[in-house]
Amino acid sequence: MGMHRDAHIVWDWNGTLFHDVDAVIGATNAAFAELGLEPLTLERYRELYCVPVPKFYERLMGRLPTEAEWELMDATFHRYYTEHRVRCALAEGVAELLAGWSSAGRSQSILSMYGHEDLVPLVRGFGIESHFLRVDGRTGPSGGGKSEHMVRHLGALTGVDPARTVVIGDAADDALAARHVGAGAVLYTGGSHSRASLEAVGVPVVDTLAEAVEEAERLAA
């Protein structure tokens, strides 16, 4: 089967299609409280956040967490997040953007570092699953980067050309994963990073997902 003629988008989920930043900040602060760390504001979180996540914790603690500390914080984060994600919704205009991209004959998929078994029913519950060739969440331990997951994700998509693929996400790691497979990237300011930290990556940075789709179309032309 030959390559698709049209562009493909690989969407990130958390902080991109799914506007869950309030739940993420709350979960992060719940995890920090386990070690007696001060809570973070959204602005401070966006200034410091990075992956692998233990490195983010090191920026705040002045040292890497011990294995026991990491396990405690990770478990607390996911417990809090699972309880509070129910209040979160899709980002503005997502349903229309997905439908528009599909109706133009282009393809799209989701690759997230959120656990696969939790991700799939969540996407399905929003009624948008039919827009995607594939929905992949993280398998294996949490806290790592996306690059190798991106290799597997694109490898499982028959006929998708990495050179005509654009990754849309809210984190520097999304752009690194795109670069790793020879794809383009657009970064969105509505999630985990400040605009300044995203701009340092050297790819287009946008404030809305509508702008992100426009950039993706341009990059994959």
Side-chain angles (χ1 to χ4, degrees):
M1 185 174 178
M3 292 294 181
H4 291 307
R5 292 173 59 193
D6 284 310
H8 180 83
I9 290 175
V10 179
W11 292 96
D12 175 52
W13 178 249
N14 303 93
T16 304
L17 291 177
F18 190 44
H19 185 67
D20 61 349
V21 66
D22 291 337
V24 168
I25 296 298
T28 300
N29 284 333
F32 287 171
E34 293 284 358
L35 299 187
L37 298 173
E38 291 296 315
L40 290 177
T41 63
L42 173 59
E43 290 73 23
R44 185 69 172 153
Y45 177 91
R46 284 175 165 165
E47 286 174 10
L48 295 174
Y49 181 75
C50 65
V51 295
V53 176
K55 187 73 176 176
F56 169 51
Y57 291 162
E58 182 183 23
R59 290 181 173 184
L60 294 155
M61 300 169 65
R63 60 174 176 80
L64 282 169
T66 66
E67 185 173 346
E69 287 171 338
W70 162 251
E71 290 176 357
L72 174 63
M73 295 170 82
D74 192 49
T76 301
F77 177 96
H78 286 99
R79 183 172 61 251
Y80 182 102
Y81 179 83
T82 299
E83 292 171 0
H84 290 79
R85 74 180 187 195
V86 296
R87 300 188 181 92
C88 302
L90 296 176
E92 183 179 356
V94 161
E96 293 80 10
L97 289 170
L98 296 178
W101 189 262
S102 293
S103 66
R106 303 181 181 109
S107 60
Q108 51 199 327
S109 59
I110 292 176
L111 176 61
S112 172
M113 297 306 286
Y114 191 43
H116 185 77
E117 298 303 319
D118 293 311
L119 174 68
V120 172
L122 190 55
V123 173
R124 188 172 296 145
F126 281 110
I128 58 174
E129 186 182 23
S130 63
H131 292 302
F132 305 109
L133 296 181
R134 189 175 181 90
V135 175
D136 281 335
R138 172 186 48 79
T139 57
S142 63
K146 189 177 268 189
S147 291
E148 293 308 317
H149 294 271
M150 187 68 72
V151 172
R152 291 191 291 272
H153 181 72
L154 287 186
L157 293 173
T158 303
V160 170
D161 181 1
R164 300 212 63 204
T165 296
V166 178
V167 177
I168 297 178
D170 68 313
D173 189 54
D174 291 301
L176 296 177
R179 191 174 299 156
H180 187 69
V181 296
V186 180
L187 297 179
Y188 164 61
T189 62
S192 61
H193 281 36
S194 67
R195 172 173 272 278
S197 62
L198 294 178
E199 288 177 339
V201 181
V203 302
V205 176
V206 297
D207 296 318
T208 69
L209 293 182
E211 292 174 278
V213 170
E214 290 174 6
E215 280 292 324
E217 191 167 9
R218 182 184 65 80
L219 289 172

